[in-house]
Amino acid sequence: MFAKAFQGRTVWLSGHTGFKGAWLARWLTQLGARVHGFAQPPATRPAIFEQLGLAKKIEHETGDVRDAVAVKQAILRARPDFVFHLAAQALVRYSYEHPLETYATNVMGTAHVLEALRWLEKPCAAVIVTTDKCYENREQDYAYSEEDHLGGHDPYSSSKGAAEIVTSAYRRSFFGRSPVRIASARAGNVIGGGDWARDRIVPDCIRALKRGAAIPVRNPAATRPWQHVLEPLSGYLWLAAQLSQPAALDPQLASAFNFGPEKEANRNVGELVAEILKNWPGRWEDKSDPNDLHEARLLMLSTAKAKKLLHWQPTWKFETATARAVAWYRGVNENAAAAESLTLRQIAEYESAARALSIAWASN
């Protein structure tokens, strides 16, 4: 699995108290890594970080990526073999309310991680995670590739586009001859158990279903590249594993990569809600408002580069990803102590499915 790249190795992971970060931290521990997490306290209640008991499974450090000194001290103290930078202000609507916090976290936070890595005088593979929303979205039936223009209408999207520009500039300015190799990763919309954020469609669905209420849907026609949380995480892990190989390997690896589903998983929000209701019966109501804050209506990613250079591909189809996500929430709703066993079971199921498809990371 992942060519055993993480067995006995040290990983510095920012954002491990969040949804994606907690899944990544738990998967890394399963792969035999020593994980040093750096993040603010969980932003939600409940929080998957606490549901998985991660504070006892990894080295947990409370810190803020906006604090350059703390970031540098944490990275140099850990002396990591791998870095995954996931800490972010990740909500579009929140970014309208708190634009300066969003830019400070997503742009300067990324710069602080990269600046700290300049002082790490040892081999390290670093993956800077941004988002599919970093592209200048033209709202067309078009799959964005890594060479397309960066941008963003809202503070969140533009902050992630800026983080990509900062990453590229640091890589070219300071890491040409460094033992540290840096790539960035742009993922589509992620679903899965343990996301409790506000103003996200799946958590909104689960909260309503638990109450027996109608699900409020703001943008039923908005189309997104939906994928289970394990899909992009497998991409991040495999990209890092490949980056850690001798520098003589393809220099194109130290660059940006998209990780998204196949085209059939580009569904609108109404279709996603309908699929959720197949697994947890309920009802929804249209709460769209033409005067609401702007959010992209059409967004797709091309993963041709990841398929060509990494031999990575998605594992679970849209229906499977949705069913697994709902199964996690229903299982935890019935038994709050089941979060970790459900998480580990789904990781094992995902690994098995990828192995059956002979996907590169699962076959090494």
Side-chain angles (χ1 to χ4, degrees):
M1 203 67 59
F2 300 105
K4 298 183 178 179
F6 303 100
Q7 181 70 44
R9 310 297 289 280
T10 299
V11 177
W12 190 86
L13 167 61
S14 73
H16 66 288
T17 58
F19 165 50
K20 286 173 71 177
W23 273 89
L24 180 54
R26 194 64 185 94
W27 199 356
L28 281 164
T29 61
Q30 284 296 98
L31 295 170
R34 296 183 299 269
V35 180
H36 183 122
F38 181 92
Q40 295 194 74
T44 64
R45 291 291 182 273
I48 187 172
F49 169 77
E50 294 170 344
Q51 291 175 304
L52 298 182
L54 282 173
K56 296 180 180 180
K57 296 180 174 69
I58 67 172
E59 185 176 344
H60 166 53
E61 179 178 356
T62 299
D64 191 331
V65 293
R66 291 174 293 181
D67 185 339
V69 173
V71 171
K72 183 177 179 180
Q73 289 176 343
I75 288 178
L76 296 185
R77 183 169 58 250
R79 292 185 53 78
D81 303 299
F82 296 94
V83 163
F84 294 96
H85 174 46
L86 274 68
Q89 192 302 95
L91 300 172
V92 172
R93 293 172 71 85
Y94 186 93
S95 78
Y96 281 108
E97 300 167 5
H98 305 279
L100 294 182
E101 177 187 339
T102 299
Y103 288 115
T105 301
N106 295 351
V107 184
M108 290 309 299
T110 298
H112 294 159
V113 171
L114 293 165
E115 179 64 19
L117 287 171
R118 288 181 62 193
W119 302 94
L120 186 65
E121 298 176 345
K122 66 179 294 293
C124 178
V127 175
I128 308 299
V129 175
T130 61
T131 176
D132 58 350
K133 296 173 185 63
C134 68
Y135 294 106
E136 184 61 47
N137 192 346
R138 297 191 292 271
E139 303 279 4
Q140 297 174 353
D141 185 10
Y142 173 81
Y144 293 97
S145 70
E146 292 82 354
E147 302 305 316
D148 281 311
H149 290 296
L150 302 172
H153 180 283
D154 55 87
Y156 169 71
S157 302
S158 61
S159 74
K160 287 297 194 172
E164 283 282 354
I165 293 171
V166 168
T167 301
S168 177
Y170 257 83
R171 181 172 51 232
R172 289 182 291 176
S173 298
F174 306 116
F175 293 97
R177 297 180 180 178
S178 169
V180 178
R181 304 191 75 204
I182 295 173
S184 63
R186 308 162 181 177
N189 282 57
V190 171
I191 61 175
D195 183 2
W196 300 107
R198 68 184 179 97
D199 293 331
R200 280 203 191 127
I201 186 58
V202 172
D204 285 349
C205 287
I206 300 304
R207 283 187 283 265
L209 291 168
K210 288 174 66 175
R211 299 194 311 271
I215 299 167
V217 180
R218 294 192 313 272
N219 298 299
T223 298
R224 296 288 187 273
W226 308 104
Q227 59 185 330
H228 192 274
V229 62
L230 290 171
E231 299 281 18
L233 296 187
S234 71
Y236 305 165
L237 289 166
W238 190 227
L239 174 56
Q242 294 299 291
L243 270 179
S244 70
Q245 299 301 310
L249 293 180
D250 194 336
Q252 294 181 80
L253 291 175
S255 60
F257 283 84
N258 288 340
F259 295 104
E262 302 292 2
K263 188 173 182 179
E264 62 86 22
N266 289 291
R267 309 288 184 93
N268 66 43
V269 172
E271 291 174 292
L272 173 64
V273 172
E275 195 65 33
I276 288 171
L277 294 178
K278 291 179 183 178
N279 295 276
W280 191 335
R283 66 192 193 282
W284 69 277
E285 56 187 10
D286 190 337
K287 289 290 187 178
S288 54
D289 179 355
N291 298 315
D292 205 354
L293 298 170
H294 175 273
E295 293 189 54
R297 299 190 64 80
L298 183 61
L299 185 58
M300 293 183 290
L301 289 180
S302 167
T303 56
K305 181 179 177 182
K307 290 177 178 177
K308 179 181 178 181
L309 295 183
L310 300 175
H311 305 290
W312 177 90
Q313 68 183 63
T315 298
W316 281 344
K317 294 185 181 298
F318 171 75
E319 293 79 8
T320 304
T322 308
R324 292 295 192 279
V326 176
W328 193 100
Y329 286 109
R330 293 199 77 170
V332 170
N333 190 50
E334 294 166 4
N335 177 12
E340 181 172 31
S341 62
L342 285 166
T343 299
L344 294 178
R345 184 188 313 160
Q346 292 194 355
I347 289 173
E349 291 171 345
Y350 181 76
E351 291 174 340
S352 178
R355 193 180 303 113
L357 293 172
S358 299
I359 297 176
W361 62 264
S363 304
N364 286 271

